């Protein structure tokens, strides 16, 4: 039986078909990678849930947990409605560019077999936004109204942070194109923004009842410290999904790059994430000997090196994390002396550490070139961008919470706080066996306010 001799045309057609199959599978691999990064990021929110419930007193445990669940639930749809559009529309500053494809009614913002990227990147960025809300959540436990918290969370998680992302992460972001900004692991665009937004809120929210007596800070003990430590370790686990979402999985010959298109790989991220974690834990343990701060040191350590994960030597990452731990602990103590009641140290752990991390990239990696004709990394550029992040976070946090306070919408009444938010806002108890069988307590905040209890 005669065999048909292949022609150049038939060979080219076969080659093109194989290339199309390869490209399809490559695109599918990208989707799978970010799918699992997003799934792992959900563990961050499970961790914050346990961490903040444990850090609360038992009378407020469920209120702390429900806030975290609702934060995730309100950021996802609002980030779909306008958060993704903000990222694509505002890289140049405060004047929007054309970004119709990021509007919720565009074809790319829904099922489309020809688009294997938009949905999965939107999901990862939405979870980044939810993380900012969870960062704020712990600091304000035991006295903020759930409604006020959700308003602030939407503004932070679907507005402010993603504006920072547009400026500092977008390929056309002005901080990159004008100043050479480098922040691969979101020390600035997520953590500094969330931390300083939280500081603005805390100034208006005020301390918990009994936190300061004659100006002297009192210790308010967590009702379940083991749960808090477990929650913090769950957050550390979730960070591997978070940081995986910060690296770009490219097809073809390009391979891994940072969000700025600089070549890198997961090995660099692995070295420095783990060394940062270890340095942070050791530093905070030496600085405090406190179990809560020791475990929080893992967060401090990772955040302190996240901006330069692709650039640092692992030994340097360890040293940075250890040293920044002392800065974070000192910042927390200073804020407390100034009358700021940050229940979990979020401003120090995320805000102060994030700002320092961005600046340190300029110290240790200044002169490193960027691709695409963007300016090289510099101490000047990193410092200016760190200040921008702090201001961009603080200003809306302060002024929105100030307005809520003026309308008496920010904080629960003092008698509700003393009774416990679970009793009034959640209407149930975390440990019902400890509650008397009958209770004459009012059933909601309105009843208490009406009775003047």
């Amino acid at each position: 039986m005669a065999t048909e001799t292949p022609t150049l045309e038939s060979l080219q057609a076969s080659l093109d078909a194989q290339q199309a199959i390869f490209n399809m599978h490559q695109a599918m691999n990208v989707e799978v990678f970010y799918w699992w990064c997003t799934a792992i990021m959900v563990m961050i929110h499970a961790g914050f849930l346990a961490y903040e419930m444990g850090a609360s007193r038992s009378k407020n445990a469920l209120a702390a947990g429900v806030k975290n669940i609702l934060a995730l639930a309100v950021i996802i749809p609002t980030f779909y409605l306008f958060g993704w559009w903000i990222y694509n529309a505002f890289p140049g500053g405060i004047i929007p560019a054309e970004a119709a494809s990021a509007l919720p009614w565009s074809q790319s913002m829904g099922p489309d077999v020809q688009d294997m990227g938009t949905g999965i990147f939107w999901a990862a960025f939405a979870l980044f936004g939810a993380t900012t809300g969870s960062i704020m959540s712990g600091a304000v436990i035991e006295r903020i109204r759930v409604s006020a918290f959700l308003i602030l969370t939407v503004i932070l998680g679907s507005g402010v942070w993603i504006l920072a992302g547009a400026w500092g992460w977008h390929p056309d972001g002005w901080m990159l194109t004008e100043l050479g900004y480098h922040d691969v692991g979101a020390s600035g665009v997520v953590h500094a923004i969330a931390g300083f937004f939280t500081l603005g809120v805390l100034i208006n929210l005020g301390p918990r009842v009994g936190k300061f007596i004659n100006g002297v800070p009192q210790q308010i003990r967590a009702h379940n410290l083991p749960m808090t430590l477990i929650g913090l370790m769950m957050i550390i686990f979730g960070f591997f999904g978070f940081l995986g979402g910060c690296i770009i999985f490219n097809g073809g010959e390009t391979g891994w790059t940072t969000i700025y298109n600089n070549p890198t790989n997961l090995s660099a991220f692995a070295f420095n994430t783990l060394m940062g974690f270890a340095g942070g834990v050791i530093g905070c343990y030496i600085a405090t000997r406190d179990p809560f701060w020791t475990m929080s040191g893992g967060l401090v350590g990772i955040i302190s090196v996240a901006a330069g994960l692709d650039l640092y030597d692992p030994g340097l990452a360890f040293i940075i994390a250890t040293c920044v731990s002392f800065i974070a602990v000192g910042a927390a103590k200073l804020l407390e002396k100034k009358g700021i009641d940050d229940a979990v140290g979020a401003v120090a752990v995320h805000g102060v550490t994030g700002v320092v991390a961005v600046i340190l990239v300029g110290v240790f990696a200044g002169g490193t070139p960027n691709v695409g004709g963007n300016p090289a990394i510099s101490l000047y550029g990193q410092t200016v961008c760190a200040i921008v992040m702090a201001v961009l976070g603080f200003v809306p946090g302060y002024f929105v919470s100030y307005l809520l306070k003026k309308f008496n919408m920010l904080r629960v009444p003092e008698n509700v706080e003393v009774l416990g938010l679970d009793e009034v806002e959640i209407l149930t108890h975390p440990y019902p066996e400890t509650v008397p069988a009958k209770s004459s307590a009012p059933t909601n905040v309105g009843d208490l306010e009406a009775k003047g209890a």
Side-chain angles (χ1 to χ4, degrees):
M1 190 172 177
T3 304
E4 186 176 327
T5 302
T7 64
L8 288 176
E9 290 78 7
S10 65
L11 289 173
Q12 185 63 52
S14 177
L15 181 61
D16 291 343
Q18 292 297 319
Q19 184 65 46
I21 293 171
F22 175 80
N23 291 340
M24 173 61 75
H25 282 276
Q26 189 81 333
M28 291 169 63
N29 287 336
V30 172
E31 276 200 312
V32 168
F33 176 76
Y34 290 109
W35 171 272
W36 288 114
C37 285
T38 303
I40 294 170
M41 272 195 276
V42 175
M43 185 61 74
I44 292 177
H45 303 284
F48 273 115
L49 181 71
Y51 159 56
E52 292 170 23
M53 289 176 70
S56 301
R57 287 166 288 185
S58 59
K59 65 182 181 179
N60 299 309
L62 289 177
V66 168
K67 283 202 291 81
N68 266 285
I69 297 168
L70 290 174
L72 188 59
V74 298
I75 285 177
I76 290 171
T78 54
F79 197 83
Y80 178 80
L81 290 173
F82 54 82
W84 190 241
W85 176 78
I86 290 173
Y87 177 70
N88 287 276
F90 289 94
I94 58 174
I95 300 174
E98 197 285 323
S101 63
L103 292 169
W105 50 80
S106 69
Q107 182 177 350
S108 65
M109 294 299 286
D112 181 358
V113 295
Q114 302 302 318
D115 185 346
M116 300 180 71
T118 300
I120 208 71
F121 281 108
W122 166 82
F125 274 60
L127 267 292
F128 292 150
T131 299
T132 65
S134 291
I135 289 168
M136 175 178 62
S137 177
V140 300
I141 54 174
E142 301 196 312
R143 73 271 203 202
I144 197 169
R145 291 179 185 263
V146 172
S147 56
F149 169 75
L150 295 178
I151 292 169
L152 291 163
T153 295
V154 168
I155 292 169
L156 171 59
S158 292
V160 178
W161 104 262
I162 196 59
L163 181 60
W167 292 356
W169 262 13
H170 194 282
D172 298 321
W174 70 266
M175 293 202 304
L176 172 63
T177 59
E178 300 296 327
L179 296 168
Y181 182 61
H182 195 86
D183 181 19
V184 299
S187 298
V189 299
V190 168
H191 297 284
I193 287 287
F196 279 90
F197 187 99
T198 300
L199 176 60
V201 173
L202 288 173
I203 290 171
N204 289 308
L205 181 63
R208 289 166 288 177
V209 172
K211 175 61 182 177
F212 296 96
I213 298 177
N214 297 324
V216 179
Q218 308 296 310
Q219 185 177 15
I220 297 179
R221 296 184 181 276
H223 94 279
N224 193 333
L225 188 56
M227 181 188 290
T228 295
L229 300 182
I230 292 169
L232 283 164
M233 186 58 80
M234 292 164 70
I235 296 171
I236 298 297
F237 176 83
F239 252 94
F240 283 86
F242 182 102
L243 294 173
C246 296
I247 196 171
I248 304 301
F249 185 150
N250 297 280
E253 299 178 354
T254 305
W256 300 104
T257 64
T258 69
I259 202 158
Y260 306 112
N261 290 320
N262 302 77
T264 190
N265 53 43
L266 284 174
S267 289
F269 278 39
F271 277 126
N272 290 327
T273 299
L274 290 174
M275 291 294 274
F277 167 77
V281 168
I282 291 171
C284 281
Y285 176 75
I286 294 171
T288 68
R289 297 294 197 276
D290 177 74
F292 175 82
W293 266 103
T294 299
M295 194 64 247
S296 294
L299 294 177
V300 173
I302 293 174
I303 296 165
S304 70
V305 300
L309 277 179
D310 60 319
L311 300 174
Y312 292 147
D313 177 84
L316 176 61
F318 181 85
I319 293 169
I320 288 173
T322 304
C323 294
V324 174
S325 297
F326 287 87
I327 295 174
V329 170
K333 291 179 179 179
L334 177 62
L335 288 170
E336 190 174 61
K337 287 181 180 179
K338 297 296 183 180
I340 302 295
D341 180 14
D342 181 348
V344 297
V347 176
V349 170
H350 298 273
V352 173
T353 300
V355 164
V356 171
V358 169
I359 295 172
L360 288 180
V361 173
V363 173
F364 294 110
T368 303
N370 276 307
V371 300
N374 293 314
I377 298 169
S378 68
L379 177 58
Y380 170 77
Q382 293 295 113
T383 302
V384 170
C385 292
I387 294 170
V388 169
M389 292 295 170
V391 173
L392 180 61
F394 178 82
V395 170
Y398 179 84
F399 282 106
V400 175
S401 61
Y402 178 80
L403 288 175
L404 290 170
K405 179 181 178 181
K406 284 298 181 182
F407 286 100
N408 198 30
M409 295 171 60
L410 182 61
R411 183 171 179 146
V412 299
E414 182 176 330
N415 48 319
V416 174
E417 184 180 345
V418 171
L419 181 63
L421 273 64
D422 288 357
E423 184 75 45
V424 180
E425 288 216 330
I426 306 302
L427 308 183
T428 189
H429 306 89
Y431 308 107
E433 65 275 10
T434 66
V435 179
K438 294 182 179 180
S439 174
S440 58
T443 58
N444 55 47
V445 175
D447 288 348
L448 276 170
E449 290 176 331
K451 293 185 178 184

